[in-house]
Amino acid sequence: MTTAQQPGNKEQQTRTVAELVDYIQALTTEIQELYCLDQIPWVVGYSGGKDSTATLQLVWNAIAALPEEKRTKPVHVITTDTLVENPVVSVWVRNSLEQMKVAAKEQEMPIQAHLLYPAVRDTFWVNLIGKGYPAPRNRMRWCTERLKIKPTDSFIREVIQANGEVILVLGTRKTESVKRAVTMAKHREWRVRDRMNANPNRPNSLIYLPIEDWRTDEVWIYLNQWQNPWGYSNKDLFSMYRGATADNECPLVVDTSTPSCGDSRFGCWVCTIVNKDKSMEAMIQNDEEKEWMQPLLDIRNELDIRDDRDKRDFRRIWGEVQLFERNVEGEISVEPIHGPYTKYWREYWLRRVLEAQTKIRRTAPENMRDITLITLEEMSEIRRVWLEKKHEFDDSLPRIYKEVTGEEFQDPRPGAGYSLLGSDEWAVLEEICEGDAMHLELMAKLLDTEHQYRKKSRRVGIYETLENCFKTSSRSQEEAIKNAHLKRDLKTAIDKGDVEKVKQLTLGDAVDEGESEIGKQSSWASIKFQNNS
């Protein structure tokens, strides 16, 4: 065996095709030895992409070559469906997992395929439409943890609890990106042997990276020259990547100077972390049969607005005004950190998703017409959040659903439709509040809080909850922001020991309150009530 053929040697970047063949044989032996070494179960991460497919194929073929009596240790293949995956890829992966189950049974392989989902409370639409979380950004990347990491981590924890340990087999490659290479280099300090690391994030688990040093062209050579063991088509996978590149080309790579389709990335169709969804754009551009995905791309691009403060509340999600220093081209200003989407925009996004789903079910190819962009369970949870957490007892979700789909909303949650307050009461409240959004919010919170506690056998905590309604909603936007500035300036003065400034700020506050006709304890709400009395 040449130097370049030895698994784990850094010089393998210079491998020829012939050397790659020998290298794969050596790697197969390594996988077999690791598999037979102990009874620690394996968990293989599978996304349906080229790297995870190559990794699983290596593992499957290696174990299949063992005598049947040695194929006893379970190998779990896990895929996490975020429920907002690229629909074409999502269908591909689901069908692939079903084919794996059939093939594993026929071949008497110890491989078990699992399709994982995020908890309903953690899904993309429950957080964005229900709670009002703004579209993810690099500084507020709330999606990855909830949609991908938690379902996977939960499964791994269950395997560890049942077996004591686990080995994770991943298709991570250093040449995938500079950032990935840096991360992998950092994790080398946890290395226990070639391509095997201790997992710093999960005790009692190891991470095995069989293709960590492979180039993209080597991945494609392997997939195109070695038959897929569970009966799926690697040629179709190649075509799917080719269709997701702007020039519709994915050439057979012969050397490192040849461009490849390895940069095509499939992920969530709603992803606003990247500047553009190049893969979906290319699919639509290259294939007339995929033009039905245009409504998804339109929603994604509409979500991807960097300055969306006009769509969001001036308070954080818990109702407090928080300030930060904003620097725009050298001009510094102190402004509120905007919070969740307002009621109008949460309802708007629900309508847009339902409209896209309805249209696609009419226009997509037959095999895609059962597409679900937002599940019934997600809408039920969104409705619950709007009713119970947002106190929006007008219960607009069933109305929006019927207006868009023409069907009645069938909520699976028991007792979901029962309420003493509804759209009629909301309309009356809107009329009384005369278009004043903050007044409407406060009144809705107070009424709905009383209603919620009315259903409880004990009303412990009602006074604290009512008091919190006043704390978060009793000031107008202007007064709330002014009060936040006052608190910030006062804290700064105290931290600096500026006694005169502290006196000035506290005295000024007292004078402002004293000049009010209601007195020092006045607030916007009490003024409003007095004016309407």
Side-chain angles (χ1 to χ4, degrees):
M1 184 182 297
T2 67
T3 302
Q5 295 168 328
Q6 295 175 8
N9 194 290
K10 294 180 181 179
E11 295 182 19
Q12 65 185 14
Q13 292 290 337
T14 61
R15 280 190 298 256
T16 65
V17 173
E19 289 172 337
L20 177 63
V21 173
D22 290 338
Y23 178 78
I24 290 171
Q25 290 178 347
L27 191 56
T28 298
T29 301
E30 177 182 286
I31 292 170
Q32 291 173 333
E33 290 174 351
L34 282 173
Y35 178 81
C36 297
L37 188 63
D38 49 48
Q39 292 303 310
I40 303 174
W42 286 13
V43 173
V44 182
Y46 176 73
S47 69
K50 64 184 187 305
D51 295 336
S52 63
T53 299
T55 300
L56 177 57
Q57 186 166 305
L58 278 167
V59 171
W60 189 303
N61 286 334
I63 296 175
L66 291 170
E68 187 176 335
E69 63 272 13
K70 291 188 176 183
R71 289 186 252 147
T72 57
K73 190 166 71 173
V75 175
H76 302 279
V77 179
I78 62 171
T79 297
T80 300
D81 185 348
T82 63
L83 300 177
V84 283
E85 297 292 325
N86 180 304
V88 173
V89 179
S90 180
V91 169
W92 168 274
V93 172
R94 286 202 306 270
N95 291 342
S96 179
L97 290 178
E98 291 304 314
Q99 184 66 31
M100 277 180 212
K101 293 176 183 177
V102 173
K105 186 175 181 180
E106 291 176 348
Q107 299 173 29
E108 298 183 340
M109 291 287 288
I111 292 176
Q112 304 169 27
H114 309 267
L115 186 56
L116 312 179
Y117 296 96
V120 174
R121 66 179 180 277
D122 289 331
T123 67
F124 185 86
W125 294 126
V126 166
N127 281 281
L128 188 138
I129 295 177
K131 300 172 187 175
Y133 282 19
R137 300 287 185 269
N138 280 319
R139 291 186 178 181
M140 190 183 178
R141 195 169 182 167
W142 53 263
C143 51
T144 306
E145 171 73 21
R146 291 172 171 83
L147 303 185
K148 295 184 177 181
I149 296 176
K150 286 176 72 173
T152 301
D153 196 50
S154 178
F155 183 89
I156 292 170
R157 282 202 314 271
E158 290 178 6
V159 175
I160 293 175
Q161 288 173 0
N163 301 275
E165 296 175 282
V166 69
I167 293 177
L168 308 179
V169 186
L170 306 178
T172 308
R173 293 185 303 113
K174 288 186 289 190
T175 60
E176 186 178 351
S177 69
V178 174
K179 184 177 180 181
R180 182 61 58 85
V182 171
T183 302
M184 292 177 70
K186 184 179 179 181
H187 285 172
R188 276 187 172 274
E189 63 186 80
W190 301 92
R191 181 133 296 190
V192 295
R193 57 167 291 167
D194 285 345
R195 287 174 291 281
M196 181 84 78
N197 300 337
N199 186 354
N201 300 316
R202 173 60 55 194
N204 295 349
S205 66
L206 297 170
I207 299 176
Y208 180 44
L209 308 170
I211 66 168
E212 66 171 353
D213 291 316
W214 285 34
R215 301 189 308 268
T216 299
D217 62 309
E218 292 177 327
V219 174
W220 283 121
I221 290 171
Y222 175 64
L223 290 176
N224 284 312
Q225 297 300 318
W226 275 260
Q227 186 175 0
N228 185 294
W230 58 93
Y232 229 46
S233 173
N234 290 341
K235 297 290 192 299
D236 288 347
L237 177 64
F238 186 81
S239 298
M240 189 163 65
Y241 269 85
R242 181 178 59 190
T245 57
D247 56 5
N248 198 23
E249 291 188 6
C250 191
L252 180 61
V253 180
V254 294
D255 55 43
T256 56
S257 64
T258 308
S260 79
C261 63
D263 291 333
S264 302
R265 290 176 182 271
F266 302 115
C268 302
W269 66 266
V270 292
C271 184
T272 48
I273 300 296
V274 294
N275 291 329
K276 287 185 177 181
D277 188 339
K278 294 181 180 179
S279 62
M280 184 175 286
E281 286 182 354
M283 281 183 172
I284 295 170
Q285 171 189 318
N286 295 333
D287 190 345
E288 290 183 0
E289 292 186 359
K290 293 188 173 63
E291 289 181 357
W292 58 269
M293 292 197 294
Q294 187 63 49
L296 307 187
L297 190 60
D298 291 341
I299 291 175
R300 183 259 164 220
N301 291 339
E302 195 173 354
L303 279 169
D304 190 20
I305 298 175
R306 297 298 160 176
D307 188 1
D308 57 0
R309 288 177 295 169
D310 60 324
K311 298 178 175 62
R312 295 161 58 187
D313 200 304
F314 66 94
R315 299 156 296 180
R316 304 304 300 273
I317 199 165
W318 57 86
E320 180 184 348
V321 177
Q322 283 190 337
L323 304 175
F324 78 111
E325 283 192 1
R326 192 163 184 256
N327 190 333
V328 180
E329 297 180 355
E331 289 192 17
I332 297 176
S333 59
V334 179
E335 301 179 15
I337 300 175
H338 283 68
Y341 290 124
T342 62
K343 184 177 190 293
Y344 172 87
W345 285 102
R346 284 183 277 109
E347 293 176 350
Y348 173 84
W349 294 125
L350 174 64
R351 187 179 295 275
R352 291 284 283 118
V353 174
L354 286 173
E355 286 171 347
Q357 178 173 281
T358 303
K359 182 177 181 180
I360 289 172
R361 286 179 174 179
R362 292 197 307 263
T363 61
E366 287 295 331
N367 67 324
M368 299 300 297
R369 289 196 178 183
D370 62 345
I371 190 170
T372 299
L373 301 183
I374 183 167
T375 67
L376 194 63
E377 290 74 20
E378 286 179 288
M379 286 186 282
S380 175
E381 179 63 10
I382 289 169
R383 185 188 188 191
R384 187 193 68 80
V385 171
W386 286 2
L387 287 169
E388 297 181 9
K389 303 299 182 182
K390 304 287 187 182
H391 305 285
E392 295 165 356
F393 54 78
D394 59 325
D395 197 14
S396 59
L397 188 143
R399 171 180 55 80
I400 294 171
Y401 184 85
K402 185 172 184 180
E403 288 173 358
V404 175
T405 68
E407 303 172 358
E408 296 289 340
F409 180 67
Q410 303 295 328
D411 198 321
R413 189 162 51 94
Y418 173 73
S419 177
L420 292 176
L421 301 172
S423 57
D424 291 342
E425 288 76 16
W426 188 272
V428 171
L429 201 57
E430 283 184 315
E431 184 178 346
I432 293 172
C433 294
E434 300 174 340
D436 193 321
M438 291 301 294
H439 190 197
L440 174 63
E441 179 184 289
L442 177 61
M443 294 300 98
K445 280 185 175 181
L446 293 172
L447 285 170
D448 195 55
T449 297
E450 168 60 28
H451 169 59
Q452 289 185 19
Y453 274 89
R454 181 178 179 274
K455 296 183 292 184
K456 297 181 179 181
S457 57
R458 299 183 66 212
R459 291 161 63 89
V460 176
I462 184 172
Y463 295 116
E464 291 83 355
T465 306
L466 290 171
E467 183 180 354
N468 190 56
C469 294
F470 281 100
K471 283 182 179 179
T472 59
S473 306
S474 64
R475 287 187 172 93
S476 66
Q477 178 173 340
E478 293 75 15
E479 284 298 317
I481 294 174
K482 179 182 177 182
N483 186 60
H485 277 279
L486 175 64
K487 288 181 178 179
R488 185 176 188 274
D489 294 342
L490 187 58
K491 183 180 184 303
T492 301
I494 292 172
D495 291 343
K496 291 181 177 180
D498 190 340
V499 177
E500 290 301 317
K501 186 67 173 178
V502 172
K503 288 181 179 180
Q504 178 187 343
L505 290 171
T506 53
L507 180 61
D509 185 38
V511 170
D512 288 343
E513 295 285 3
E515 288 176 352
S516 164
E517 55 185 275
I518 300 179
K520 192 171 190 300
Q521 298 302 317
S522 67
S523 67
W524 168 85
S526 56
I527 294 173
K528 190 81 180 178
F529 290 141
Q530 185 178 38
N531 289 341
N532 288 335
S533 61

